[in-house]
Amino acid sequence: MTTNIILAGVGGQGILSIANVIGIAALENNLHLKQAEVHGMSQRGGDVQSNLRISDSPIASDLIPYGCADIIISLEPMEALRYLFYLRKTGWVVTNINPFVNIPNYPEMKDVMQELEKMDNLIAFDMDKMAKDLGSPRSSNMVLLGASAPFLGLPLGLIENGISKFFELKGEKIVDLNLKCFTAGYEEARNFLNNRSRS
């Protein structure tokens, strides 16, 4: 079984950190992993996109074909829209709704949200606010990772272990803050899924 992940956002938001944590968790679960070259990292504020593929069998290509992504993980709402053509019909979009206005003709947020809300499988909330409320404004990427965790096919404990390993050199306090943000994002997604199953 293969999980195809599109990571999207803006340079400086921490998309690569998400990829690294998922990578640690996947390898510790004895899975195969391939990541395509990240685009847009040369410019802070430029768009960033990467393909990440996880499988229990060898992976031939690091590129995800159009219409075959299982999940789009995005720290920026317009960037989520930009890559919808990768998503399979049953795929999920998990995105922050707080815009990073990096271009002069950035569309109206109501128009962006209107397009996103057309998706059957969408989890979207203000992850920047959640991270700030938890005392770690720079950890919205870990909130996003938490909200994406139900769809990654990885044991929760291994993702948490990946966060601990990735941030361990920054000290225990930073590890704990990032784990707290991850858990909050995960609980938000689980609550959404539970409410959806009841309706």
Side-chain angles (χ1 to χ4, degrees):
M1 180 177 175
T2 301
T3 303
N4 292 320
I5 303 164
I6 297 289
L7 297 166
V10 170
Q13 285 190 305
I15 285 293
L16 280 184
S17 299
I18 293 175
N20 283 320
V21 170
I22 292 173
I24 293 168
L27 293 175
E28 292 203 348
N29 206 33
N30 296 314
L31 296 171
H32 298 266
L33 174 76
K34 279 204 174 182
Q35 182 178 1
E37 181 180 349
V38 177
H39 300 282
M41 288 304 293
S42 60
Q43 178 188 357
R44 187 177 180 87
D47 67 292
V48 179
Q49 183 266 336
S50 180
N51 295 6
L52 187 62
R53 309 188 76 191
I54 302 168
S55 181
D56 54 8
S57 57
I59 305 166
S61 171
D62 54 6
L63 295 175
I64 299 170
Y66 297 160
C68 292
D70 298 291
I71 181 171
I72 294 174
I73 300 175
S74 182
L75 266 167
E76 209 287 330
M78 191 183 74
E79 294 303 321
L81 286 179
R82 192 192 296 268
Y83 300 106
L84 286 183
F85 61 91
Y86 275 100
L87 196 67
R88 68 172 72 250
K89 288 183 179 179
T90 56
W92 281 84
V93 176
V94 182
T95 183
N96 189 8
I97 63 168
N98 195 34
F100 189 110
V101 181
N102 58 344
I103 53 173
N105 58 340
Y106 193 99
E108 292 289 332
M109 264 311 293
K110 62 178 178 60
D111 296 330
V112 173
M113 291 309 301
Q114 195 171 52
E115 287 302 309
L116 282 171
E117 285 163 5
K118 292 177 182 177
M119 305 303 299
D120 291 332
N121 298 324
L122 172 70
I123 292 180
F125 60 95
D126 191 338
M127 298 171 185
D128 293 346
K129 183 179 186 305
M130 181 175 279
K132 186 177 180 182
D133 290 347
L134 290 167
S136 188
R138 295 185 64 186
S139 297
S140 56
N141 60 338
M142 291 298 108
V143 174
L144 174 62
L145 178 58
S148 306
F151 314 105
L152 297 178
L154 294 167
L156 202 62
L158 285 185
I159 304 176
E160 291 170 331
N161 185 55
I163 292 170
S164 297
K165 284 193 170 184
F166 184 75
F167 290 104
E168 65 184 350
L169 293 179
K170 296 188 176 182
E172 189 175 340
K173 183 180 178 182
I174 298 297
V175 169
D176 289 345
L177 281 170
N178 280 283
L179 284 170
K180 186 189 292 187
C181 288
F182 171 81
T183 300
Y186 177 76
E187 291 300 326
E188 185 78 12
R190 292 304 304 170
N191 288 338
F192 171 85
L193 292 170
N194 287 336
N195 290 335
R196 173 169 150 148
S197 67
R198 292 193 198 105
S199 60

